[in-house]
């Protein structure tokens, strides 16, 4: 059973379970109890181990649930618009049309950092395309998966549909591997690390299944000499410190033109010191703990490597002396743009500040990492803006101007290139990945014109 235990704030084990405390009484409204079954296929069953939540701040948690609501709204409208063209046929008495049909079963594997929204994007779009879903959430966020599935199942059943349309299983890598290998899973949508995503992709490809990959990012904000620094500073802070540096779209590299480097570092460091760190449940908290103890170890290792490679810690750099996996949000300057640590995506709040002189240099540095998720420039130069959006600009799936790397809106296609995996979710024509296309020719004449001018006498 998935058991209520202490959250990531790491307080001493409590004599009573959280669900029995008045502060957490709302858990019962979500259909949760002291012990919770972890598998749903129309009926509940299954056993396993536990956590209450992953440590993100209250406002972000609420925002994430809102995003699921928003994408459902979006999908309802989209359901009346998807489809293929009627194409002109070169043959008299023939019609040429494109039909889109559901792929069937969509397996959705999501990550700890967005335990609700990423399922929401996949689930809402997959459903309006006519598919059914099997969800495996992160092994560390089982109660979120259980609570969401209870709500979805109830809505389906109230509308005379089987709850099993949206099945769910808690579990770890063994379940992910089974889903990837199973020929009954027509599309595997995987969100997580590049390392695991590569293994999933190979297993799915081996059986010629279809995959949709949303993997890592090593995202840069590039600030030119003409940038509005009143936009730059909050953008850099929000995108590097938000979710304690655990978004795939987190800004990890801040590239500053030489002429404004020192002033921006000074202003961003000052803003870092004002970030309110505290209990994620307190609505005024801006920054909470990391997800796991391993993440804290990765944080310390990265800082050590950065120092060895020539970096200077100008802000943060230490584990905080308080219960839970709290670390100081960190800024490191002085590293080479191609230092190994700069080219490594570490899922923690460390920002590497790089100094550049020319546009060509900055664009090249943006593109030289393996990942290609999100990227931003800050400038007022319109020529530069369109060079950035063009073939010699950013090679990422998300290419922004005067807005940070994180916080994409649902109407656009979300995803990235290269080691980010190439998948797209949510808006634009992402729906096409959840359907299969047939090109259909209909002869409504009495003649049979054959291709290549062949004639049967």
């Amino acid at each position: 059973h998935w058991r209520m235990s202490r959250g990531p704030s790491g307080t001493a084990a409590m004599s009573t379970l959280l669900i029995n405390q008045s502060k957490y009484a709302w858990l019962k409204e979500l259909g949760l109890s002291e012990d919770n079954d972890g598998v749903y296929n129309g009926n509940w069953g299954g056993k396993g181990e536990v956590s209450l939540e992953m440590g993100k701040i209250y406002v972000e948690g609420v925002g994430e649930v809102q995003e699921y609501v928003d994408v459902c709204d979006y999908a309802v409208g989209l359901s009346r618009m998807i489809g293929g063209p009627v194409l002109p046929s070169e043959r008299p008495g023939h019609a040429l049309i494109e039909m889109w049909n559901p792929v069937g079963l969509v397996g959705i594997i999501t990550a700890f950092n967005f335990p609700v929204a990423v399922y929401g994007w996949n689930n809402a779009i997959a459903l309006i395309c006519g598919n059914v879903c099997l969800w495996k959430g992160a092994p560390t966020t089982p109660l979120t998966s259980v609570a969401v599935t209870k709500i979805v199942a109830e809505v389906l059943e109230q509308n005379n549909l089987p709850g099993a349309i949206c099945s769910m299983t808690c579990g770890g890598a063994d379940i992910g591997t089974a889903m990837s290998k199973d020929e009954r899973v027509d599309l595997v949508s995987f969100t997580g690390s590049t390392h695991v995503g590569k293994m999933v992709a190979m297993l799915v490809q081996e059986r010629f299944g279809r995959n949709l990959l949303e993997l890592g990012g090593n995202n840069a904000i590039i600030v030119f000499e003409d940038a509005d620094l009143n936009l730059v500073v909050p953008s850099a802070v929000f995108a590097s410190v938000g979710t304690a540096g655990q978004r795939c779209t987190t800004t990890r590299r801040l590239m500053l033109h030489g002429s404004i480097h020192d002033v921006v570092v000074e202003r961003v460091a000052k803003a870092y010191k004002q970030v309110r760190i505290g209990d994620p449940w307190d609505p005024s908290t801006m920054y909470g703990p990391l997800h796991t103890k391993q993440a804290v170890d990765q944080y310390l290792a990265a800082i050590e490597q950065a120092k060895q490679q020539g970096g200077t810690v100008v802000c943060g750099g230490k584990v905080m002396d308080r219960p839970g996996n709290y670390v100081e949000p960190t800024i490191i300057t002085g590293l080479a743009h191609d230092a190994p640590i700069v080219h490594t995506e570490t899922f923690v709040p460390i920002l590497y500040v790089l100094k550049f002189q020319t546009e060509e240099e900055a664009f090249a540095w943006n593109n030289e990492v393996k990942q290609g998720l999100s990227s931003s420039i800050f400038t007022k130069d319109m020529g530069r803006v369109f060079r950035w959006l063009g073939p010699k600009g950013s090679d990422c799936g998300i290419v922004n101007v005067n807005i940070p790397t994180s916080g994409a809106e649902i109407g656009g296609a979300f995803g990235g290139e290269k080691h980010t995996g190439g998948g797209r979710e949510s808006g634009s024509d992402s729906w096409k990945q959840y359907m299969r296309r047939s090109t259909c020719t209909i002869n409504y004449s009495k003649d049979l014109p054959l291709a290549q001018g062949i004639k049967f006498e």
Side-chain angles (χ1 to χ4, degrees):
H1 290 338
W2 304 84
R3 192 129 223 249
M4 295 285 173
S5 76
R6 57 205 173 89
S9 49
T11 47
M14 298 174 178
S15 52
T16 61
L17 294 172
L18 296 181
I19 197 163
N20 296 324
Q21 299 173 27
S22 57
K23 183 182 173 186
Y24 296 101
W26 52 268
L27 287 166
K28 291 178 178 164
E29 293 170 38
L30 292 174
L32 297 171
S33 52
E34 285 94 339
D35 286 294
N36 298 277
D37 293 338
V39 177
Y40 178 73
N41 62 358
N43 296 300
W44 286 94
K47 297 180 187 304
E49 58 184 357
V50 90
S51 74
L52 176 60
E53 32 98 357
M54 50 67 67
K56 69 166 55 175
I57 60 172
Y58 178 76
V59 218
E60 285 189 8
V62 171
E64 193 176 327
V65 174
Q66 184 61 49
E67 194 162 307
Y68 195 164
V69 174
D70 292 347
V71 84
C72 285
D73 259 357
Y74 173 80
V76 168
L78 183 67
S79 70
R80 296 184 167 93
M81 298 191 291
I82 56 175
V86 177
L87 300 160
S89 173
E90 63 195 62
R91 294 177 283 198
H94 284 62
L96 190 55
I97 65 173
E98 199 174 271
M99 282 291 291
W100 289 81
N101 286 306
V103 291
L105 172 59
V106 178
I108 303 165
I109 300 174
T110 61
F112 78 87
N113 58 342
F114 288 94
V116 175
V118 171
Y119 176 61
W121 293 353
N122 281 278
N123 171 247
I125 305 295
L127 287 180
I128 63 109
C129 291
N131 299 296
V132 294
C133 301
L134 171 59
W135 177 25
K136 186 193 90 67
T140 50
T141 55
L143 292 177
T144 308
S145 306
V146 171
V148 168
T149 298
K150 291 204 169 194
I151 293 168
V152 173
E154 187 183 340
V155 172
L156 289 169
E157 284 162 0
Q158 282 172 356
N159 287 275
N160 301 317
L161 291 163
I165 286 173
C166 297
S167 292
M168 183 277 298
T169 176
C170 296
D174 51 341
I175 306 285
T177 300
M179 287 169 70
S180 303
K181 285 180 170 175
D182 197 313
E183 296 208 342
R184 295 171 296 180
V185 183
D186 301 283
L187 166 67
V188 177
S189 176
F190 173 87
T191 302
S193 69
T194 295
H195 170 68
V196 178
K198 189 174 184 181
M199 297 193 292
V200 167
M202 290 169 79
L203 288 172
V204 175
Q205 183 56 46
E206 204 165 35
R207 61 176 174 89
F208 290 101
R210 195 187 290 195
N211 59 51
L212 191 172
L213 302 174
E214 295 280 358
L215 312 176
N218 191 341
N219 315 298
I221 288 179
I222 304 173
V223 183
F224 287 93
E225 63 277 15
D226 64 338
D228 178 347
L229 298 190
N230 293 328
L231 283 180
V232 168
V233 175
S235 294
V237 174
F238 169 74
S240 51
V241 167
T243 325
Q246 299 170 114
R247 294 179 177 219
C248 46
T249 52
T250 293
T251 298
R252 309 205 176 276
R253 299 178 295 152
L254 178 61
M255 302 181 191
L256 304 174
H257 187 269
S259 63
I260 47 123
H261 177 276
D262 294 355
V263 66
V264 173
V265 169
E266 188 184 329
R267 286 180 62 175
V268 172
K270 187 179 170 193
Y272 261 51
K273 293 188 172 77
Q274 291 162 353
V275 170
R276 287 190 302 275
I277 300 172
D279 182 346
W281 278 105
D282 180 343
S284 69
T285 296
M286 288 167 61
Y287 176 94
L290 286 175
H291 181 48
T292 58
K293 182 77 181 75
Q294 292 94 301
V296 177
D297 296 340
Q298 288 165 357
Y299 166 88
L300 289 170
I303 289 170
E304 200 44 54
Q305 287 171 47
K307 286 178 182 168
Q308 287 168 8
Q309 291 167 26
T312 304
V313 175
V314 295
C315 181
K318 296 189 287 294
V319 174
M320 296 178 72
D321 185 18
R322 57 179 295 160
N325 303 316
Y326 284 87
V327 299
E328 294 175 343
T330 300
I331 301 170
I332 296 179
T333 58
L335 285 163
H337 65 94
D338 54 357
I341 193 63
V342 174
H343 278 219
T344 306
E345 180 194 22
T346 313
F347 227 54
V348 297
I350 301 176
L351 181 64
Y352 302 113
V353 181
L354 312 172
K355 187 189 288 189
F356 74 90
Q357 301 301 336
T358 68
E359 179 186 302
E360 292 73 21
E361 192 174 43
F363 287 8
W365 294 1
N366 178 74
N367 295 351
E368 74 186 3
V369 294
K370 293 275 195 240
Q371 303 88 341
L373 181 51
S374 189
S375 55
S376 305
I377 60 167
F378 283 76
T379 185
K380 297 189 186 86
D381 180 332
M382 288 312 289
R384 180 179 287 140
V385 166
F386 282 94
R387 288 191 292 276
W388 173 241
L389 304 181
K392 293 188 174 171
S394 172
D395 65 0
C396 294
I398 296 169
V399 183
N400 293 341
V401 179
N402 296 333
I403 188 172
T405 55
S406 61
E409 55 181 272
I410 61 169
F414 180 90
E417 301 301 324
K418 302 189 304 193
H419 284 217
T420 304
R424 291 297 184 278
E425 288 173 349
S426 198
S428 184
D429 67 350
S430 300
W431 62 267
K432 289 182 174 177
Q433 289 168 109
Y434 301 85
M435 302 196 82
R436 56 180 181 80
R437 177 200 327 236
S438 306
T439 302
C440 312
T441 308
I442 299 148
N443 178 2
Y444 57 89
S445 75
K446 294 191 167 63
D447 299 318
L448 188 66
L450 296 169
Q452 283 89 38
I454 295 169
K455 289 187 169 53
F456 285 115
E457 298 299 345

